[in-house]
Structure formats: C-alpha cells, structure tokens
Amino acid sequence: MLCLSGIFSFLFNLFISLFFVSLFCRLIGRSTFPFFIHKVPIAKGSAFWIPVIQVIASFNFLLAIVMAVNFLKYKKSHWWLSCYVWAVWLEGPLGFGLLMSCRIAQAFQLYYVFVKRRLPPIRSHMFLPLILLPWVAGAAVIHEKKPLNYRCHFGTYWTIPVVCLHSLYVAVLMGFTRAIRHIEFRFHELRDLWQGILGSASVIGVWVFAYILNEIHDDISWLQVASRFMLLLTASILVLVFFSISIAQPLLSQISLRKREPLELKTMGQVLGIPESGLLLQREQAVDIDPNEPLDKLLLNKRFRQSFMAFADSCLAGESVHFFDEVHELGKIPIDDPVRRIYMARHIINKYIIAGAAMEVNISHRIRQEILATTDLTHPDLFTNALHELTQLMKMNLAKDYWSSMYFIKFKEEARMRSCEHEMEEMRGYDFSPRLSSVNATDDPFHQDHFSRGFTQHSHASYLR
C-alpha cells in the first residue's frame, strides 16, 4: 500500500511538473511568436516592458502556487524554501499583485488616451511601482508577523485582509474598465479587460474555496489534492489567456498563433482601414514632377513619396519621410472619427516623437513637448509644426542629393513608361467604337442602305418643293 502511494505521489508530481513547464513554454511562445515568425519590430517603452513583466509575473504566480500549496514535496532546509518566500512575496507582490498592477496601468493609459484624449500625466514606469506599493507593504507586514502555519496557510484573522487586498485591485481594474466602456475600441481592449476581471475574480474565489476545504477537511487527502489542482488550473488559464499579450499593441492583436502565412497588415493605416493606405494604384495617371516646386507639395504624390522614401532609407535618414507618410495617412481619417484618429496619433507619437523611439525624428524640444503635452490627440494640427521643421530639414539635406540620384532617374523613367501605357490604353479604346466609324462607306452595305434611303428622302422633299 505504501509502495502504491509512493508511486502515485511520484506520478502526480511528475504530471504537475510537466504541466507547469508546458504551460510556461506556451506562454513564452505566445508572447514571442509575432517577433520571431512575422518579424514584427520590437516596440520600446511600456509597449515592450509591460508584456515582459506580465510574463515574469505569470511565471512567479504559477510557481508560487505549486510551491506554496505543497504540490511538490521538499524539505524547507534553506531560507529561500520558506513559505514566506513562495506564499507571500512570490505569490503576492511579484505574482498576482504584479499581474493586476500591469493590467491597471494599461487600463489607466486607455482611460487617459481615449476618454481624456491626452497622454497620461505619469509614465508607466513610475505609475506601476506606485500601485504596487500596497502589496509590498502588506508582504513586509506578513513577513514580520509570521502568521503562516506549517502548511503555508493563513489563519482566519489574516485571511480576510489578504482576500480584501486581492479584491481591491480587481475593483480598481473594474472601475477603470467601466469608465471606458462607452468607447468603441477596434481591437477588443474592453473585452480583454472584462475577461481579465472575470478571471481574476475566479482565481480569488477558487483560492478561498480551496482554503476552506483544506482547513475544514484536512483529513481527506483526495479533496485537498483536487482543490489545489483546481486552483492551479484556474490560475493557469488566467495567465495564459488574459495576461500573455499586451492589449496596448494593436498590430500584435491581428496576429494569431494559427496563422502561419505572411503578415498582410504591415502598417497602422492598413490595420485601421484607412483608404488606399500603403497602396499604389496601377492605373494612376503619371504626374510631371518639377524640382522647383515646394517639397511638401511634391510629397503629396504617393509615387514620388515612395521613391523619395527609398532614397532616404538608403541614406539611413528615412525617419522624416516615414513620419510625413504616416501623418498624411492620419489626415485621411475624418474628424468625426476620434477613436481611429487617437489610435493613429498615439502610434505616431510612440514611433517618432517620444525620446528613444524606434524612429525618433529630429525636431526641436519645444515642438516635441507641445505634442506630448497636448490636450487633444484628435486635433488636426497636432503634427503641423513638426512637419514644417522636418520638411525644411529634408529640403536642405536630402532633396538636393535626390534630384541627381538614380532613384529620381528611375522614378522619371517609370513615369514616362506609365504615360506611354496610358496613351496606348486610350488608343486601344477606339477599337470598341461602333463599326460605322471604322469601316469605309464603300465596304459597308449597311452604310449604303442608309445612304440610299437618305438620298431618296432628300430627292422626294426637293420634288415637293
């Protein structure tokens, strides 16, 4: 009997270990899939490190549950194997608390950007530690008082404030979610927040239920195992489904683990459904480019802008042209569509304006701060001053070299070929005219018939007169 019990315990521990490892591997795979398969550029700032922190917090949370509820039998011979390390610090401030704090930080950003229509007054790397302070303070108090028993369980006196702390963060997340519920998001941000709230509340409920079962029916081994396994399973679903990918990255929300084909939506304009975003019309009529015209007027031509952008990229100075292109796409969104304008404006700010951005443009500090401190992200002149500065820089640096480059020669040759093709299409258009216009009268019997009838009627009219 003891031998069977030992075998069962070994197999159960092996199953839990494999389950935990496979779950964490899937979590890592789901978070890194867009970057390795579709070669999505890695974002900077909170759009990058908040998902990374969520993955680390998910690992800490699941590992703390496995260790704290005695899924794995081990001797607590070292301080780092203590219940206060796993059940207090790793499960609280570095696990569930960190997960909820990341989600609250994202909801806080969505509230300010889409409801207030401005950037948050405090950056995420400062806001996240502030909302995590109650967890750190609570863990420090518990570590000092040492209320845990030999099974790493709290007494009834400590269980109530611990559950209240967990519920408080769920309530704060619910408050921010209710404040943005009227916004018509395009990438399911609101749905993801409500799912996170539901999952978090479910974990708290299962944790309380498992605690009660383990405290009241501590003599029923199978009940303890079942309740602990249910707690681990619920927590695993929570972190895998709701916390593995950041809701602050709309481009990544278009990518699925099941889609192995090349990514078709490459720009934010295409994702937002801006008309003709990134497309060149094949039948577009060629336009003569005069180098003496203002550069900002020339850049309005899509084909010229693409040629000029390729030249700038070859000179490792394409940020300004890319910025002009995306601001031009922003101008296509109607003023009465504030949600899409906010998506595009925030994308431009994160990509070109903030310090250390992936394609930070060279503009003055005054204009940069004007954009970052704007009170209306939907304003049509939000990037006008920045465009004026960058156009002057491109005119002095890039434009002079472009007119003598192979890119401009190639552009003129392609324009000439398109012009010839357009003329040939117009010539071919005459082939579809009626037969009377393309056949000689002497060869057309129908024309002779019409002519004879006309001649007879004309002669009869003359005779009457």
Side-chain angles (χ1 to χ4, degrees), residues 9 35 62 71 81 87 118 156 204 208 220 267 318 332 362 384 405 414 425 431 448 459:
S9 177
F35 304 102
L62 295 178
F71 272 115
L81 294 175
R118 55 175 299 179
T156 306
I204 296 175
V208 173
I220 305 177
T267 65
K332 297 179 181 179
N362 186 17
T384 301
S405 68
E414 291 177 351
E425 287 182 359
D431 295 341
Q448 294 175 3
S459 301

Side-chain angles (χ1 to χ4, degrees), residues 24 85-86 158 171 194 213 266 365 372 438:
F24 185 68
V85 173
W86 300 105
W158 288 91
W194 282 119
L213 290 180
K266 296 181 180 181
H365 177 75
L372 295 178
S438 58

Side-chain angles (χ1 to χ4, degrees), residues 213-277:
L213 290 180
N214 280 273
E215 287 298 317
I216 298 178
H217 302 285
D218 57 348
D219 55 334
I220 305 177
S221 58
W222 68 267
L223 187 60
Q224 293 187 18
V225 171
S227 61
R228 295 172 183 175
F229 180 75
M230 184 60 66
L231 174 62
L232 178 61
L233 182 63
T234 306
S236 303
I237 295 175
L238 171 74
V239 301
L240 182 62
V241 177
F242 304 141
F243 292 101
S244 57
I245 292 183
S246 172
I247 59 176
Q249 302 186 62
L251 286 175
L252 296 186
S253 66
Q254 305 299 304
I255 303 172
S256 171
L257 283 173
R258 298 180 181 180
K259 295 180 180 179
R260 303 287 180 175
E261 65 272 8
L263 185 62
E264 296 180 357
L265 302 176
K266 296 181 180 181
T267 65
M268 179 61 75
Q270 292 175 335
V271 172
L272 294 177
I274 298 177
E276 300 178 2
S277 178

Side-chain angles (χ1 to χ4, degrees), residues 135-283:
W135 285 95
V136 177
V141 171
I142 293 174
H143 194 93
E144 179 67 22
K145 299 297 183 179
K146 297 188 182 303
L148 296 178
N149 57 22
Y150 69 97
R151 290 180 298 180
C152 294
H153 288 178
F154 290 101
T156 306
Y157 179 78
W158 288 91
T159 300
I160 295 176
V162 169
V163 173
C164 289
L165 180 61
H166 285 69
S167 303
L168 174 63
Y169 276 67
V170 177
V172 171
L173 181 59
M174 185 180 297
F176 279 115
T177 305
R178 284 180 56 84
I180 62 176
R181 68 184 186 278
H182 63 282
I183 302 296
E184 297 181 0
F185 292 103
R186 297 180 61 87
F187 303 104
H188 310 296
E189 290 93 338
L190 189 63
R191 184 199 65 185
D192 292 343
L193 286 175
W194 282 119
Q195 288 179 341
I197 292 171
L198 178 62
S200 304
S202 301
V203 168
I204 296 175
V206 173
W207 182 82
V208 173
F209 182 69
Y211 168 79
I212 295 174
L213 290 180
N214 280 273
E215 287 298 317
I216 298 178
H217 302 285
D218 57 348
D219 55 334
I220 305 177
S221 58
W222 68 267
L223 187 60
Q224 293 187 18
V225 171
S227 61
R228 295 172 183 175
F229 180 75
M230 184 60 66
L231 174 62
L232 178 61
L233 182 63
T234 306
S236 303
I237 295 175
L238 171 74
V239 301
L240 182 62
V241 177
F242 304 141
F243 292 101
S244 57
I245 292 183
S246 172
I247 59 176
Q249 302 186 62
L251 286 175
L252 296 186
S253 66
Q254 305 299 304
I255 303 172
S256 171
L257 283 173
R258 298 180 181 180
K259 295 180 180 179
R260 303 287 180 175
E261 65 272 8
L263 185 62
E264 296 180 357
L265 302 176
K266 296 181 180 181
T267 65
M268 179 61 75
Q270 292 175 335
V271 172
L272 294 177
I274 298 177
E276 300 178 2
S277 178
L279 299 177
L280 290 175
L281 299 180
Q282 297 297 327
R283 295 181 177 272

